[in-house]
Amino acid sequence: MAKVIFHDHEGKTREVDAKNGMSVMEAAISNMIPGIDADCGGACACATCHVYVSDEWIGKLKPKDDMEDSMLDFADGVQDNSRLCCQILLSDDLDGIEVTTPESQ
C-alpha cells in the first residue's frame, strides 16, 4: 500500500491509501478527488489528470516519455513539476507522494 497526499489549489488536503501498482490517477478517481477528471481513463490521451508533483518527489519518478510530454501541451498552467498522474505508478518508493491539482479553468 502507498499513501497519496492530494492538495488542491485552495490548500485543502486529502490523504488516500492505494495498492502498489495502481496509478495516482486511479487512486484519485476511486476516492473522488476533485480536479482529476481522467477523461481518457488513463490511456495518456488527454491532460485531465494533470498534477504538480512536490519537489521532494519529482526526482523519484521515472522521466516523462514523449507521449506524456506531448499531452502536457494540452494542459493549462504547465510547470517544470507538471505530470499526468495516470503515468505515475505507486510503489513502496512513492509511499507518501504529494501532488497538487491545478486550479480548474
Side-chain angles (χ1 to χ4, degrees), residues 17-34:
D17 290 319
K19 292 180 181 176
N20 286 347
M22 286 180 74
S23 69
V24 171
M25 180 218 71
E26 290 171 315
I29 295 302
S30 43
N31 288 281
M32 300 172 52
I33 300 295

Side-chain angles (χ1 to χ4, degrees), residues 2-24:
K3 181 178 301 229
V4 183
I5 302 166
F6 293 94
H7 303 282
D8 67 23
H9 67 279
E10 296 175 341
K12 185 171 184 179
T13 298
R14 295 170 183 85
E15 293 184 14
V16 303
D17 290 319
K19 292 180 181 176
N20 286 347
M22 286 180 74
S23 69
V24 171

Side-chain angles (χ1 to χ4, degrees), residues 23-104:
S23 69
V24 171
M25 180 218 71
E26 290 171 315
I29 295 302
S30 43
N31 288 281
M32 300 172 52
I33 300 295
I36 305 290
D37 294 333
D39 289 344
C40 74
C44 198
C46 71
T48 61
C49 68
H50 171 221
V51 295
Y52 304 116
V53 178
S54 296
D55 291 340
E56 63 268 21
W57 293 99
I58 198 78
K60 296 181 181 187
L61 302 180
K62 70 175 186 149
K64 287 181 262 193
D65 64 20
D66 290 341
M67 181 177 275
E68 179 181 3
D69 203 34
S70 141
M71 280 296 107
L72 280 167
D73 288 343
F74 296 100
D76 292 322
V78 172
Q79 302 173 3
D80 289 342
N81 63 338
S82 289
R83 294 296 300 262
L84 299 181
C85 65
C86 67
Q87 299 301 296
I88 303 172
L89 298 181
L90 294 167
S91 66
D92 290 339
D93 291 340
L94 296 181
D95 184 26
I97 189 170
E98 294 188 48
V99 299
T100 301
T101 55
E103 186 172 359
S104 296

